[in-house]
Amino acid sequence: MPATVNVEEGNGSPAVWTAITTTRYCTADQYNPGLNYPCVVPGSGYNYSYWKHFRIAFSGSFTKISNIRWYTTGDIKSSWNLGTGGMLMVALRDSGDHGCPTASYAQATGQLGETGHYFKDSTNGHPYYKNQTAGPADADQYTSSNPLLVDSTEYTSAGASKSVVSQVRLAADAVQGEKPNKTFTFRYDEI
């Protein structure tokens, strides 16, 4: 019998992990803000969404889950009209897995309703990523033919993977408003 697997989003401090099927990037640390706290186009420079942690949680009867990867549709930047230099960014590590261990989870912060803190900001950035020389990367480069390695751990019992950490960057020439839905996919090996 295959494992039962759910995608989870972490929010708050300490983290509360919620099983999700949809999410919305916004300017608050909330998994389901509805139309509240939309991402705001800046007058100049960049604004950011609050960063998001996504992981898979697994249970049931399985022998091993490993090689956890993540990818996008590859067209987020253009279909979301994020402006010059705008993109969905994904955090990277200099070496090893790019996913964030649950013990290194960090609550997203920023100016509520205006902008999140950039996860590479030297003061307010994500502690697990801000001092890395790698990244962030444009999430559009991670597609089904080139997925991001999130977690190389070999799991043999119920638990949860490391997290993909991502955030939206909007430029001054971005288009404000509702964006089309996009699919993010976790892929893993199971025996």
Side-chain angles (χ1 to χ4, degrees), residues 87-157:
M87 68 184 79
L88 175 65
M89 301 181 300
V90 61
L92 300 178
R93 295 283 294 175
D94 291 339
S95 61
D97 298 341
H98 296 295
C100 180
T102 299
S104 297
Y105 162 88
Q107 181 180 19
T109 59
Q111 298 170 358
L112 187 68
E114 183 68 26
T115 185
H117 288 128
Y118 175 42
F119 50 45
K120 295 282 284 190
D121 181 87
S122 61
T123 303
N124 297 306
H126 194 297
Y128 192 69
Y129 294 103
K130 70 181 182 179
N131 296 320
Q132 299 295 295
T133 57
D138 180 347
D140 280 350
Q141 73 181 355
Y142 299 107
T143 61
S144 59
S145 61
N146 180 42
L148 175 73
L149 177 62
V150 176
D151 193 344
S152 62
T153 307
E154 295 184 347
Y155 295 95
T156 57
S157 60

Side-chain angles (χ1 to χ4, degrees), residues 24-139:
R24 184 183 294 264
Y25 289 92
C26 64
T27 53
D29 180 36
Q30 294 186 0
Y31 85 94
N32 186 15
L35 297 177
N36 298 316
Y37 308 110
C39 293
V40 178
V41 174
S44 63
Y46 296 111
N47 272 354
Y48 301 87
S49 70
Y50 277 43
W51 63 67
K52 298 263 187 192
H53 283 254
F54 301 111
R55 69 182 189 181
I56 58 170
F58 34 84
S59 60
S61 300
F62 62 92
T63 302
K64 180 171 64 175
I65 289 177
S66 60
N67 195 23
I68 299 167
R69 293 148 290 160
W70 175 88
Y71 61 90
T72 73
T73 54
D75 64 347
I76 295 165
K77 183 170 33 183
S78 61
S79 65
W80 284 0
N81 296 307
L82 299 174
T84 306
M87 68 184 79
L88 175 65
M89 301 181 300
V90 61
L92 300 178
R93 295 283 294 175
D94 291 339
S95 61
D97 298 341
H98 296 295
C100 180
T102 299
S104 297
Y105 162 88
Q107 181 180 19
T109 59
Q111 298 170 358
L112 187 68
E114 183 68 26
T115 185
H117 288 128
Y118 175 42
F119 50 45
K120 295 282 284 190
D121 181 87
S122 61
T123 303
N124 297 306
H126 194 297
Y128 192 69
Y129 294 103
K130 70 181 182 179
N131 296 320
Q132 299 295 295
T133 57
D138 180 347

